[in-house]
Amino acid sequence: MDFKLTEKQKALKREFDQFFEEVMKDAPPEYGRGGLEGVYATPEGFEFHLQVSKKLGEKGWLSRAWPKECGGEGAPLIEQLLFNESRESHRAPGVDLFGHGMFAPTLIIAANDEQKERLLTPLAKGKVSYCQGWSEPDSGSDLASLQTTAIKDGDNYIINGQKIWTTGGHRAECMFLLARTNPEEKRGKGLSVFHLRMDLPGITVRPILYMDGKHLYNEVFFKDVKIPAKDLIGTENEGWKLTRDTMNFERSGVGFFVEGREDLKELVDYVKTTKRNGKYLAEDPIIRQKIAKLFIDLEVGYTLAYKIAWLQGKGGLSFAASAASEAKVFGSELAERIANYATEIMGLYGQLSDSKWAPMNGSMVESYQFCMGITVAAGSSEIQRNIIAWTGLGLPRF
Amino acid sequence: MDFKLTEKQKALKREFDQFFEEVMKDAPPEYGRGGLEGVYATPEGFEFHLQVSKKLGEKGWLSRAWPKECGGEGAPLIEQLLFNESRESHRAPGVDLFGHGMFAPTLIIAANDEQKERLLTPLAKGKVSYCQGWSEPDSGSDLASLQTTAIKDGDNYIINGQKIWTTGGHRAECMFLLARTNPEEKRGKGLSVFHLRMDLPGITVRPILYMDGKHLYNEVFFKDVKIPAKDLIGTENEGWKLTRDTMNFERSGVGFFVEGREDLKELVDYVKTTKRNGKYLAEDPIIRQKIAKLFIDLEVGYTLAYKIAWLQGKGGLSFAASAASEAKVFGSELAERIANYATEIMGLYGQLSDSKWAPMNGSMVESYQFCMGITVAAGSSEIQRNIIAWTGLGLPRF
Amino acid sequence: MDLSFSSEQEILRKSVAEFLSKECSYEKVKEIEESAEGYSPKLWKKIAQLGWLEIILPEEFGGFGDPFINLIIIMEEIGKAAFPSPFFSTVVQSGLTILEGGSTAQKKDLLGKIVDGKLLMALAQYEQEASYLETGINLSAKLSGDDYILNGTKMFVIDANIADKLIVAAREDKGITLFLVDAGAKGIKCTKMPTIGMDNNCEVIFDNVKVSKADLIGEPGNGWKILQKAEAKIIVAKCGEMVGGCKASLDMTAAYAKERKQYGVPIGLFQVIQHYMSNMLLAYDTSVNYLYKVAWMIDENEDVTKEASALKAQVNEKYKFISERGVQIHGGVGTSREFDIGLFYRRAKAYEYVAGDSDYHYEKIAAALM
Amino acid sequence: MDLSFSSEQEILRKSVAEFLSKECSYEKVKEIEESAEGYSPKLWKKIAQLGWLEIILPEEFGGFGDPFINLIIIMEEIGKAAFPSPFFSTVVQSGLTILEGGSTAQKKDLLGKIVDGKLLMALAQYEQEASYLETGINLSAKLSGDDYILNGTKMFVIDANIADKLIVAAREDKGITLFLVDAGAKGIKCTKMPTIGMDNNCEVIFDNVKVSKADLIGEPGNGWKILQKAEAKIIVAKCGEMVGGCKASLDMTAAYAKERKQYGVPIGLFQVIQHYMSNMLLAYDTSVNYLYKVAWMIDENEDVTKEASALKAQVNEKYKFISERGVQIHGGVGTSREFDIGLFYRRAKAYEYVAGDSDYHYEKIAAALM
């Protein structure tokens, strides 16, 4: 039982930390609030994200964990964890959640050599951005019931249909799409994965505003969109299986806990410097207890994330799969709890969003809203809990 | 919108309160802890229960709410609520949960005149005690899957099988039994209700001890037990329907909340008179907040109970049925919360059961254990929540 | 005991509900939220004509002597519709404070204008420390000849940006004193603060603002007592609005759960959704019945200090709970501005702070019990 | 980083688990619980022979120099088996306190006897006020010639009824001082108190009890420092036992949910049961990994004051949660003495108080953070 990092790992972490600290000096204010909002809500935020991405590409850090034959360094997963931890604790952008987080692993598993060269290289260099074409209006948690079609037509596929909840669809250059190539098949069968550019004729992007009016999500409509057959990734009709394999990549959830730690740090600063009724908030026993409870949740969550990463690195995937769902449920619900406690502690100030009056730059009241996007996305808490019961405890599937 | 009691109702409540206050002066110590434990755990406790029952019978209070044709006064349900409230706030016994609470309503609905005379009269006089023969080892929440048989044999029925969780089965004089009269039928059909004496040949009672070793529950075995056909209640094979009708009788759950109020009163006394670290516990903001939260739960629960009783009295059963389930879920889980908070507030003393060292006579640590018997009994919290969703919100049944 | 509403009350509820559903759809609500004024003057005029603003007017001033519970009925319906208007600031906060502490002349004058829809008012109590306590009021009022000079900053003043007059709690030599101040008076600077409620919370700076000695509500030093007495009623009224929001959240979520299909069945068939929703219904039923109980106690002239605090803490927590589960059950669409559940999720957090947050009220209850 | 156990550690765990499952079934546990001694001398002798009691013995006194985490392994298995024994009072509470504050001679003598299974000890810290703080220690120790005279009452002394020697925290002129007292000394009256844990919590009255000046652990006035230093380790060890209890509760409930049928299907198929159980597993996984982390920090000689408090508060709440849901999922049988889940439900409440309850530890964390 040894939680110690090696000297090499420590040095690596220092290098990451220095880089992100330096980079974040120029960050626009929306990055104080972290999450997807910083990247997608404003053009300035997205521009900054792309800049950082390029810098990371120059350093070769976007592809460190990729296998050597795919242009990476085959860095161990624990180093990837340290990278993610450092980046997220600085609330830094630069890694494309969809491009680097999801599509690159898919390409690594399933792409042919030509595709690897053509599609992975720009990703490694930080020169391209992606969005994800998965959810549809009638298939929320139930991805296998997709209806968007991609019908083979000579050397092309013709795409028709609609995607929804496409985060960053209004900013990304490309999309990776899950569509039905065999309309005879139902549910999980007959689906395939594609790469495509978002500026193709026949694609329309319509904003879905968040409850506070911010623009992160979109609907994307496809009307006879033609893409070349060479942009099919992997085997035709085997996309669902491929998608499921991808879902199991780096899922420690460490980001929830390092971001939460930053929030707690700022909150502790706030209560130590803010007076109410003649006393510092930090002297209020009720507030002290709330902060202690958050500290505990962050401690145990952070440790669980390390355990997951370590197990994934070791190939202990069966525990890791269930534990990754645990980290997602726990981390996303903890984000909600942090936001609620923090805004309670602030009293009347807790309702103020981004403005000179708002404590912590309004980040907590923003988080109070955006956390709901996380507990419902990428496998809602309900689905995750079923997965935990099935894979973690062997309870019967229904 | 008027929550006021009439002068007559107030006078009635005063009369009940005076009676129970007087009666409880002689109560053995187990009654300080309320619940089923006082009645069934010790012979002294049961003896006291029977004495109080007789006194209530002399006053005619056991049958006040019964229709006049059944020997009652047809008192309105609100008066019955006041009676229950008074009795439970004094933690007084005397009403047989099974005999008066469940079997008498069954008899009122379904018994013939001979049975009403023979079986209701002793109940009205407080001269008989009952236990309930419902649950079986393979049918917990799923009562309709009962297997105990009652096979007609001339003028008799012959009973074979086993009942479980028979509260007070070791003390009660009689049982009302749900058994399968038509073994061809499955589930809800082919069941019938019977009255029988517990001293019949062929009946064996085996204790099931509670987790702390107390004896409330039993298994009851029937081996060729012969009972006369005249002790069938209602129509043969229609027992399940009858049982369901009975379940809807007086279900305001007011007892949870008036008992909880007594607990809170004692707890407030305790924290006001107990010092730790040089201060009264009542000065500790964390303890103050726990007490405030319990106060709120008791206030809102008590008000809900009144609403249920008022609706039941008015015949507004469709809301009342769902709300009664709400009161049961909320009341039983609140009892757990009260017990947990109280034992937390007591610190190390919170673990002490009945002894000179135990605050509140050990009632809270007892309750911490017995509350679990309530959240699983008479429709577990899980079943109740489904019922609420179905009947209260019209969600689809599964 | 009769826990039903009279037929007049049922009619009142129906008429308020019908008006709002016709005139102020959730689409319209979002539009109003995004406007600088944060309310619709046109709709305000209409509800004045319909007589809603008379609900608190005593008979002696020409009102109908409605019981307090009738105000609750209106507030519940406003809450269900998520209707943005100065009803709370003007009628509830200011109106009830005037009723509690104003002179006969003030009542006649101010309430009369309010009822006619010609006067909007705001209550300026909190300051930079955001304390709910008496010690939190430090805006200074110094007598200078026949005028008081006010200096200081008020925060979280609801609807100050649209109000004609402000009731300002200030610290005078004799203690907390309430002043009636023209919102347009020289030296007042009002700025709207962006909030999760997208409402009219304002910062109001007072820089040597002159107020006539005659424009006091109550006696000098009497202000805290008046505020406290009014607060209990203000709380219960606000809880009416919040409970209405709970009901709307519950109903729209139940409807969605019956209609939305996943894996080929309505999501309302899943046991976990059923349990979520049964907990939501329980949270609502315990809240709404207690709301009526406490409102009834006000009509009976009982002291409700403890009960109003219990109600606010209960409703604070349950509104957050119900609306949060509502968003969760809606899934992705629940987080979008297009759907309506988010209106309630945001309000639940915003209203948590109005007239005291939960921790403040827990402590008030404890103080009353111990 | 290597978060696995060594093969020696796996063997240790397996041997402890196998011994307990063979020698001390849950039936046997219940029998022991009901006895006045609350432990089995026969089993104690056996575990001494197996070398369990050596686990904390440093190499210099003939031990194997086991890392702290090995003690956690034993405690986890004890927790799973719900094994009633003086292991915690003697080896953990007393042994670690002696290691922290005793002289070389005391360590050699006392630890030697403990290891041989010939000495049972108990730590007498708390008093009638049930305070976990230094100010809670008021039993007086007055010097009189070459002896101290102890007067006062200790409460919640675990295993005092079977102990040969007590470590008594008393207030001496110089401050809190630890005394080594024969449990049979004149003037000591020990009474077992009935608890939900059915364990050996005792009241111990000291009426002019004479202790030789030589029988101090540490210096006069040094007692609180020793207790505090030992406390962090004692907490982590106890958490090992509690986490073991969580694991047993979880496993037996999962097994029951797969086997028990209702409405014709295993209850583990119901979505609500699946969600209950996924929350239980999450509570367990977060606890157990943090347990190992903090135990590892102790082996690294890091200060774990804050982390031990976080661990205890976490485990207090999660053990209660897991065992409570365990009983609920078992339904009726879960409340009966015949089934085993109740053993854990009762222990969860009992152990909540050992070495500090949650509120005490929350405050310690806050003090460290702010």
Side-chain angles (χ1 to χ4, degrees), chain A residues 137 140-142 165 209-211 275-277 290 336 340 343-344 347-349 351 353 357 368 375 382, chain C residues 128-129 131 194 196 201 203 260 262-263 276 320 324 328 332-333 335-337 345 349 352-353 359:
Chain A
S141 293
D142 179 17
W165 309 120
L209 300 187
Y210 206 80
M211 62 170 91
K275 278 189 166 188
R276 194 181 302 148
N277 303 320
K290 283 178 182 167
E336 209 177 317
N340 188 42
T343 50
E344 282 178 358
L348 283 152
Y349 284 90
Q351 66 190 304
S353 49
W357 299 277
Y368 187 78
T375 57
E382 289 68 44
Chain C
Q128 272 140 316
E129 234 195 17
S131 165
I196 188 171
N201 262 282
E203 180 195 55
R260 167 75 173 169
Q262 287 272 282
Y263 305 100
Y276 287 174
K320 282 197 287 186
E324 190 270 348
Q328 183 70 25
V333 299
T335 66
S336 76
R337 184 131 179 92
Y345 182 72
K349 180 46 89 176
E352 177 180 349
Y353 306 107
D359 287 336

Side-chain angles (χ1 to χ4, degrees), chain C residues 114-134:
Chain C
I114 286 175
V115 160
D116 288 344
K118 289 182 180 146
L119 178 70
L120 297 186
M121 292 188 67
L123 178 64
Q125 175 175 345
Y126 311 125
E127 301 186 6
Q128 272 140 316
E129 234 195 17
S131 165
Y132 296 111
L133 307 181
E134 182 173 8

Side-chain angles (χ1 to χ4, degrees), chain C residues 59-101:
Chain C
E59 281 175 338
E60 51 194 301
F61 300 107
F64 298 103
D66 284 275
F68 186 78
I69 193 111
N70 288 10
L71 171 61
I72 297 300
I73 291 173
I74 293 183
M75 289 299 281
E76 274 184 282
E77 296 307 318
I78 285 178
K80 284 180 201 168
F83 176 51
S85 87
F87 191 90
F88 177 67
S89 55
T90 298
V91 178
V92 176
Q93 286 186 297
S94 304
L96 293 177
T97 303
I98 292 163
L99 273 176
E100 206 59 66

